[in-house]
Amino acid sequence: MKVSPQLTNQSDWVAGEVIDVEHNPFTGLVISVKDHLGRIFFGKSKYFIAL
């Protein structure tokens, strides 16, 4: 998956591997992605796109 710059505060989309998907009753679908540097980004599904 790719993570939006709005979530990562990076200049471009960050590619990574999905490590967790959770259905949160308050915020909806939450996705966690780990990139090649070991950073973990998580947030609402609207900030992610599939490769």
Side-chain angles (χ1 to χ4, degrees), residues 3 7 27 29-33 41-48:
V3 188
L7 187 63
T27 60
L29 193 62
V30 176
I31 300 173
S32 299
V33 170
F41 302 104
F42 63 93
K44 294 180 182 181
S45 61
K46 69 180 186 177
Y47 296 111
F48 298 85

Side-chain angles (χ1 to χ4, degrees), residues 9-31:
N9 291 322
Q10 302 294 314
S11 61
D12 203 5
W13 288 75
V14 175
E17 178 183 343
V18 176
I19 58 171
D20 190 30
V21 177
E22 172 189 346
H23 185 279
N24 184 306
F26 301 105
T27 60
L29 193 62
V30 176
I31 300 173

